[in-house]
Amino acid sequence: MTIKSYEDMQIKKSELSDILIDMAGCIDELNELGMDLSGQSLLDLQKKLKNDNFKVLVLGEFKNGKSTLINALLGDKILPAYSTPCTAVINEIKYGEHPSAKLYFKNPLPEEMTEYIAPKAMQHIHKYQKSGKIPPIDLEIDELEDYVTIQDLDKEQIDAIKEVP
């Protein structure tokens, strides 16, 4: 099922929360019959769910479909996902009413930076470089590929990632 709106997400979270409470009750009943189970872990999970903030970490080797998997879970193409180029930075995805992106820079910037930096990012870096800390920049989702993927395909991936600002 694809969640289309914030309201859909809230309904699904409420349903899951109710299920967790029911399961905790069932575990308590089983404990009364002599089983050694803990409903508290389900109640803790239910509390985290209600807090509206939980994280899922996706790890894997270079070019093994992590972005494709995340897009499939989201039900939408948010991250660039191709056989090449591969994603060069950590991406954190949060729900929002409207798709948008915010690019954070390494502070301090790498001593050697790739020459494949999008012009908008390069202008932003030059504007704030003397301050010592580069603030984030707002992007459109369809611009992400220019900022989060390795552009120099001739370079070793680990070396290219080190040069991404």
Side-chain angles (χ1 to χ4, degrees), residues 16-161:
L16 182 55
S17 179
D18 292 344
I19 290 169
L20 290 170
I21 290 171
D22 291 344
M23 288 175 65
C26 292
I27 288 174
D28 289 341
E29 289 177 22
L30 290 170
N31 283 334
E32 289 173 9
L33 297 173
M35 300 188 81
D36 187 22
L37 302 170
S38 170
Q40 187 59 47
S41 59
L42 292 175
L43 292 175
D44 291 343
L45 180 58
Q46 185 257 352
K47 195 180 295 181
K48 284 182 181 180
L49 184 66
K50 279 195 166 188
N51 284 338
D52 208 21
N53 188 6
F54 59 93
K55 294 186 180 189
V56 176
L57 178 65
V58 178
L59 296 171
E61 297 286 330
F62 289 119
K63 298 183 184 181
N64 271 309
K66 295 176 296 295
S67 296
T68 302
L69 171 68
I70 292 167
N71 287 338
L73 291 171
L74 295 171
D76 201 356
K77 185 181 179 288
I78 302 296
L79 297 175
Y82 310 103
S83 58
T84 56
C86 77
T87 307
V89 298
I90 295 172
N91 292 274
E92 182 177 355
I93 301 168
K94 297 180 178 183
Y95 180 82
E97 287 292 325
H98 306 286
S100 64
K102 188 171 288 240
L103 180 69
Y104 292 85
F105 293 85
K106 291 178 184 173
N107 282 298
L109 292 170
E111 288 182 26
E112 289 186 39
M113 289 193 291
T114 180
E115 61 193 69
Y116 298 95
I117 299 173
K120 183 176 175 180
M122 206 61 211
Q123 289 172 346
H124 189 75
I125 289 169
H126 286 308
K127 180 177 179 181
Y128 293 101
Q129 196 164 17
K130 290 182 181 163
S131 72
K133 184 165 172 66
I134 313 296
I137 186 172
D138 292 321
L139 303 172
E140 297 296 323
I141 293 294
D142 59 357
E143 294 180 280
L144 272 180
E145 183 176 340
D146 296 334
Y147 297 90
V148 301
T149 59
I150 294 174
Q151 301 294 320
D152 187 354
L153 301 177
D154 294 330
K155 192 166 267 205
E156 287 291 320
Q157 292 163 339
I158 195 73
D159 293 331
I161 289 171

